[in-house]
Amino acid sequence: MADVMKLRVITPEKRFYEGDVSMVELTTTEGNIGIYPDHIPLTAVVAPGAMKIHEADATKEAALISGFITILPDVVTIMAETVEWPDEIDFKRAEEARLRAERRLSSPDSNLDVLRAEMALKRALVRLEMKH
Amino acid sequence: MASMRDIKRRRASIQSTGQITKAMKLVSTVKLQKSRTKAESSKPYFDMMYETIALMLSKSGNINHKYLRAGSTEQKAVIAITSNRGLAGGYNNNIVKLIVGSAELKPETTKVYAIGRKGRDSLARKGYQIAEDYSEVINEPIYQDASDLTAELLDAFGRGEIGEIYLAFTSFKNTVVHTPTLIKLLPFTMEAAGADQEEAPKAQALMNYEPNEEDVLDMIIPKYMSSLIYGALQEAVASENGARMTAMDAATSNAEEMLGKLELQYNRARQGSITQELTEIIAGANAIG
């Protein structure tokens, strides 16, 4: 069994990450998954969450907001619409987004788009999580 | 023969036009380089996207998905990507001609989602209905623009207002070759996606989908469309600058050629006037003597 696999994270603007990894953790719409080499082929939709990339001797983290993932036994490809390294995140803005979303959710307005506000909150929380 | 003063004036005017075209050429060369790098860096995303979709559809045979069927209405939508500025040779006109000349896109049944003022105005003159105008986008296209447009189009598609969606843009091959291209975005078919069938991804073990195939297609096809539109925007910007560079280069060399001709004419006129003056003086001297 191979102990590393190739991971590619591609955004519309650039190649975000490319390298050999031993494991990658991320969140899909069905829940958190950790992918080791020789995983069964799987295509899944990404939900906002922290992505952890385990390289041979280091671990990297990034905020993966949306996209989808294609897993093959030796290659994992993440087509990310939005993904950010911790140092690219504007924490102040994320904090404001969190407050805004929370306020909207707690307001009594009945024709509020709850789903949208929840998604916004989720995105903000994922970004804030990157701040250690 | 034009007088010396006329020629001189004309020469000055051509010279300043030449200076402007030369400056424009330089500017578009720089812009071309920038937009070309951008267009190239968005390529891997699109290629992977295509590969994934091709794999899904080839594996799953005949899925009956709403995005894979044409809508019942005759109405069609076309995204026309042109530029906001002229002086780019045939760049804008080629896209307009492509749309007007295509058999599917009749003015009566086609809604135009215009990106670029030049194309919007020409198509409106030809009797097309302009549904939306996103001309600001072309100045600095970002991915968000493409996904907003996709959302809007899919919305209209879902409501049954449009049955087919086309995309007209100028594909950037290299600095001098740009091809106006018309592709069908929806209903999604492999042939329309433009790559050759042979290149279908190597057979993989059976792919699993989470949560299920239908939902994943629901998710991915809009993303595929956005990435296609985004790629088209980037390529169009590169093509626009390439076209402008070529046009301005031609204009500059035309100006230089004209200047050369005028220079000759001017010298001839000068010589002529000196000869005439001399003849007059000699004739005068002879008359006195």
Side-chain angles (χ1 to χ4, degrees), chain A residues 8 10-15 28-30 33 40-46 66-68 70-73 77-81, chain B residues 38 41-46 48-49 52 55-56 142-143 147 204-211 215-216 219-220 223 226 230:
Chain A
R8 289 184 291 188
I10 307 175
T11 71
E13 281 88 22
K14 57 175 195 238
R15 287 168 198 272
T28 73
T29 47
E30 307 302 290
I33 59 169
I40 54 159
L42 176 74
T43 300
V45 179
V46 164
S66 72
F68 69 93
T70 310
I71 304 165
L72 296 173
T77 310
I78 302 172
M79 309 288 298
E81 280 185 311
Chain B
K38 262 189 164 173
S41 58
S42 69
K43 202 112 181 99
Y45 184 81
F46 168 71
M48 266 314 297
M49 190 65 104
T52 317
L55 183 76
M56 282 183 78
I142 53 171
Y143 186 74
S147 59
Q204 306 281 1
L206 202 61
M207 181 58 86
N208 298 283
Y209 295 98
E210 243 175 41
D215 286 357
V216 173
M219 260 288 298
I220 291 184
K223 289 197 197 310
S226 315
Y230 180 69

Side-chain angles (χ1 to χ4, degrees), chain A residues 71-91:
Chain A
I71 304 165
L72 296 173
D74 50 349
V75 188
V76 174
T77 310
I78 302 172
M79 309 288 298
E81 280 185 311
T82 315
V83 59
E84 288 149 359
W85 293 120
D87 55 10
E88 291 171 342
I89 298 174
D90 186 340
F91 287 108

Side-chain angles (χ1 to χ4, degrees), chain B residues 74-230:
Chain B
E74 277 286 286
Q75 281 287 340
K76 295 175 172 126
V78 61
I79 306 166
I81 305 179
T82 56
S83 70
N84 283 342
R85 287 168 208 204
L87 289 181
Y91 173 76
N92 291 311
N93 210 6
N94 285 341
I95 290 290
V96 173
K97 263 197 271 179
L98 183 73
I99 293 175
V100 173
S102 83
E104 291 95 8
L105 302 170
K106 296 269 163 283
E108 304 80 50
T109 55
T110 307
K111 282 182 185 165
V112 176
Y113 288 75
I115 303 178
R117 271 199 291 279
K118 292 282 165 188
R120 179 196 69 191
D121 295 347
S122 319
L123 285 171
R125 263 200 303 279
K126 301 244 189 253
Y128 283 87
Q129 186 197 340
I130 309 293
E132 286 288 344
D133 178 18
Y134 295 94
S135 295
E136 286 309 308
V137 165
I138 201 70
N139 297 337
E140 194 77 49
I142 53 171
Y143 186 74
Q144 190 58 40
D145 299 329
S147 59
D148 289 349
L149 181 58
T150 306
E152 171 149 356
L153 281 166
L154 286 179
D155 211 32
F157 187 78
R159 286 197 305 266
E161 283 168 17
I162 43 178
E164 286 176 15
I165 302 172
Y166 291 83
L167 171 67
F169 72 106
T170 310
S171 147
F172 183 83
K173 299 272 183 280
N174 56 49
T175 323
V176 282
V177 182
H178 327 110
T179 348
T181 321
L182 183 67
I183 52 175
K184 194 198 247 179
L185 285 181
L186 275 190
F188 182 80
T189 48
M190 292 311 294
E191 303 86 67
D196 50 294
Q197 296 277 5
E198 303 312 307
E199 225 186 315
K202 46 216 176 285
Q204 306 281 1
L206 202 61
M207 181 58 86
N208 298 283
Y209 295 98
E210 243 175 41
N212 60 50
E213 216 159 71
E214 183 107 341
D215 286 357
V216 173
L217 268 182
D218 261 356
M219 260 288 298
I220 291 184
I221 290 187
K223 289 197 197 310
Y224 173 78
M225 264 178 77
S226 315
S227 83
L228 207 64
I229 296 174
Y230 180 69

Side-chain angles (χ1 to χ4, degrees), chain A residues 45-67:
Chain A
V45 179
V46 164
M51 172 175 68
K52 260 192 190 155
I53 302 170
H54 297 262
E55 291 174 326
D57 46 7
T59 310
K60 280 188 178 151
E61 249 190 322
L64 181 58
I65 306 295
S66 72

